[in-house]
Amino acid sequence: MGTGSGSGSESNENGWGGAGPGVVLKTLVVIGGAILLRRLTKSNTRWDHTHVVSRSLTGQKYSKEQAARDPDNYFNLRWLSCPAAEMVDGSEILYFEKAFWRTPHKPFRQRFFMVKPCPNEMKCDVELSTYAIRDAEEYKNFCDRPKDQRSQPEEVIGDVAEHLTTIYLKRCERGKRCLYEGSTPPDGFPNTWNGATYCTSELSVLKNNEIHSWDRGYDDDGNQVWGVNGAPYEFKPAPASSFVDMFPLNFPPQSMEKRIGGSFVLRE
């Protein structure tokens, strides 16, 4: 009876319902850890978005399925991208090239992607900018080479040339098929190819590293002068073995520069 009375007195004194110092200490540690984790998670979220988008852009993807469904309007293209360097502020630089699946060693579009969080004042999560390459010829098939045969990160940073476009990506709402989606500003960016005065780009990052990309050029009157109509290109990751069952296309690679027929002008 004396022991029970003493326990009750101790309980009233420490206010923890009989919990000893060890329990109190553990509780404080758990609470403190939760607060710290919340702060760290909050501060890292912006970069988490960036890393997810970078990983999704990276790799080898094809528009094979789309070209099979609609060969009159879409080419079977290879999308290839890989990490190339990292800036001091943490921004990631990816090398990107696009080619016809028949001639992957002859890319017709080469760019640097720079991926970083959107500025705090903007209502977006990831800023994806494209840049020209100072000497694109030197970077052909960059991702296919052994790492010791690639340009070093400091060389890559030095070869980042003219800024071309910036897409502002935002996390997709729940229930949508995409993970991130976004576009350039409505007035786009300057572009003079095939009579254009400006161009726009739209991009969606889907699950399983699928990418939907839509680039279009417009003249002074707002008429589209290059780029596909109707829907974006759909690039899906493909295993290496898929080369054995690639189908022949109905148009030659040399038609890549411009094809006008019914519904589109392709500039790739």
Side-chain angles (χ1 to χ4, degrees), residues 207-244:
K207 295 180 180 179
N208 300 321
N209 296 323
E210 182 177 342
I211 298 293
H212 289 187
S213 176
W214 200 358
D215 301 326
R216 286 169 287 182
Y218 298 88
D219 62 18
D220 283 326
D221 297 322
N223 299 310
Q224 183 176 338
V225 294
W226 60 256
V228 292
N229 290 325
Y233 260 91
E234 301 172 3
F235 292 96
K236 298 182 179 182
S241 60
S242 64
F243 276 110
V244 300

Side-chain angles (χ1 to χ4, degrees), residues 58-179:
T58 299
Q60 185 171 238
K61 313 172 196 296
Y62 292 90
S63 57
K64 173 187 174 182
E65 293 183 16
Q66 190 177 32
R69 293 195 311 267
D70 189 359
D72 291 332
N73 292 309
Y74 295 90
F75 295 94
N76 183 5
L77 304 176
R78 181 178 84 150
W79 165 302
L80 184 63
S81 182
C82 62
E86 184 174 312
M87 302 291 283
V88 175
D89 66 355
S91 301
E92 299 178 44
I93 298 179
L94 309 178
Y95 170 75
F96 163 75
E97 66 183 26
K98 194 180 288 183
F100 286 91
W101 74 271
R102 286 180 177 274
T103 53
H105 58 291
K106 295 180 179 179
F108 55 81
R109 175 177 288 185
Q110 297 172 262
R111 300 283 188 267
F112 281 134
F113 288 152
M114 186 177 294
V115 193
K116 62 183 180 180
C118 281
N120 289 327
E121 65 274 12
M122 296 189 66
K123 294 182 179 179
C124 58
D125 296 304
V126 180
E127 183 179 297
L128 172 62
S129 297
T130 60
Y131 290 83
I133 300 173
R134 199 170 304 281
D135 188 350
E137 188 68 26
E138 290 187 2
Y139 281 84
K140 280 187 176 181
N141 310 124
F142 177 89
C143 301
D144 291 323
R145 305 178 202 167
K147 290 188 176 181
D148 61 355
Q149 295 180 21
R150 299 177 184 178
S151 299
Q152 296 304 301
E154 58 272 16
E155 296 176 290
V156 170
I157 293 172
D159 287 332
V160 175
E162 177 190 3
H163 171 253
L164 301 173
T165 62
T166 296
I167 296 175
Y168 300 99
L169 296 166
K170 189 173 182 179
R171 177 101 185 187
C172 295
E173 298 177 358
R174 286 189 177 183
K176 296 191 72 172
R177 187 178 168 218
C178 61
L179 298 177

Side-chain angles (χ1 to χ4, degrees), residues 10-31:
E10 185 179 345
S11 172
N12 292 333
E13 288 176 5
N14 62 34
W16 284 84
V23 175
V24 175
L25 181 60
K26 288 180 180 179
T27 302
L28 292 174
V29 169
V30 170
I31 293 174

